Amino acid sequence: MGYVAVKGGADAIYNSRELIEFYRLKDASTPLEIKEIKSQLRLAIDKIIGEGGLYAPEYAAIALKQAEGDLFEAAFIIRAFRTTLQRRFYSERINTREMFVKRKISASFREIPGGQILGPTRDYTQRILDTAKAFETIDDVKLFIDKFKKQSNNKQSEPIQEYEKIIDQLKKEGLLKSVDFKEDRTILDITREAIKFPAPRSARLQMMARSETGGLMAMGYSSMRGFGTIHPTVGELRYGSIPIRLKDPSGKIRYVGKIEVTEAEMISDALEVEKKESPKYMVGYGLCFGQNDTKAICMGMLDVSMRSKDQSLPANDQEFVLFHTEGIESMGFTNHLKLPHYVTFQSSLSNMRDAVERKSEKKEMLTKELTEG
Amino acid sequence: MNEIDYVLCECALSALQELVEILEKECQIEIVKTPTICMTMIEAEDSVELQPFYLGEALTTESELIVDGKIGYGICLGDEPVRSYCIAFVDAYLKKEGRNTMVLLNFIREHNKIIEEERQEEHAYIMRTKVDFKLMEQE
């Protein structure tokens, strides 16, 4: 079965693009400002930059506006945009211990170095719809900001510092599984080289860092519900900004700005420990752009599960996890079903009609034989 | 030098532009590369086993200038053509003879203070969310 090219839809396609713009704008009283989208839809922007694989909050805000709020489409636009840019630099390896911490919690220990800092979170809200938001005015915004700032200024603040990590403590006590140097530790770039399975850990982490949050969550959740072997605890979850440095063309290391990231260290029982060894913990690692607790936690969980030798469970199977959580690919393939499949379907229809005809002929013959017999 | 780059990347753009406009009056400038957007691949590592991996790319602007015969590179995250130009200018300016280091250093000192105050202010907001655990019987 070959493909047959058809044409004739150009006008309809053009008009459809015009129509979607019309639907985007027909009831608009004010065009959405990029600055406002970026600041007021912060968490949506964080998802787009993460899944788009490009840290560019302003461009993500444009994509979100263009896509009428569809995060998949916006991430797709960003992923497409990045292909038009040249990669000119590689950063120096980032050090998350340098983070300007905005959130830092642990579910494993109550007392952690520097204390538990909830930061900006909706974790402890009742999810009651705040209908007052419908009538929010600029005066309300100013009033809230002024009040908030005044409250803070009244308190003596602790100096900014870098904090020790929970895992450092476990490491010191010898409770963490030692590094398996037999494991493939090469650094692969999945944007330049096609991934093959089993994939090195670097490729798995890179793929998960730009996976779709919902997909990662489904896989992580499946593991906890029994379709996997992992049910870890959050050792530490941090969100904040980290400095980026790189070598300029003269070879000098330069500070070029900061990015926001969420980091999760997930503590789990070590999957396979040598018989003579005492029990150990294993830490799964999650790191992604922006503030996205769910993504970092699930990434850390799946980092552990994909290291299991038992690949029969969905959340342990590298190919299953990585290919099906890749939002752009999944969305692209799913949505291709909407595109014309006339020839394929006509062929299926023709086979179906033939089969039905054969069946009814056979039935007729059988009835005839029975009546005549 | 790192502190200079830090301030140039983080300070208010209008102030930086104003500074460069003053300094560039006395210089011969040749633009080698106009501010252009490109990408930087961010290299990360797992905090436990120190496994390196690529986190993703960041939008970057780069430019290249020659100021009185000295080359300067301006690189910063985001789509920031003006900032990139200014950083390249300062990078080159600092290498040239007869530079007005005092004006520049005063700018860096002043803006570093502003940036640090803003950071400290944000930190104070954040620290209000620090959990103060009390045992139930202490209530």
Side-chain angles (χ1 to χ4, degrees), chain A residues 44-57:
Chain A
I45 299 299
D46 287 351
K47 284 209 173 79
I48 298 166
I49 56 175
E51 287 152 28
L54 181 69
Y55 194 94

Side-chain angles (χ1 to χ4, degrees), chain A residues 232 234 237 262 264 266 286 292-302:
Chain A
V234 173
L237 179 74
T262 304
M266 305 297 294
N292 194 339
D293 292 359
T294 310
K295 184 170 180 172
I297 287 172
C298 293
M299 181 174 166
M301 207 183 309
L302 294 165

Side-chain angles (χ1 to χ4, degrees), chain A residues 322-339:
Chain A
L322 298 175
F323 277 179
H324 299 111
T325 57
E326 168 43 57
I328 311 294
E329 294 275 346
S330 312
M331 179 210 171
F333 199 82
T334 309
N335 278 289
H336 103 279
L337 297 175
K338 295 186 290 189
L339 302 176

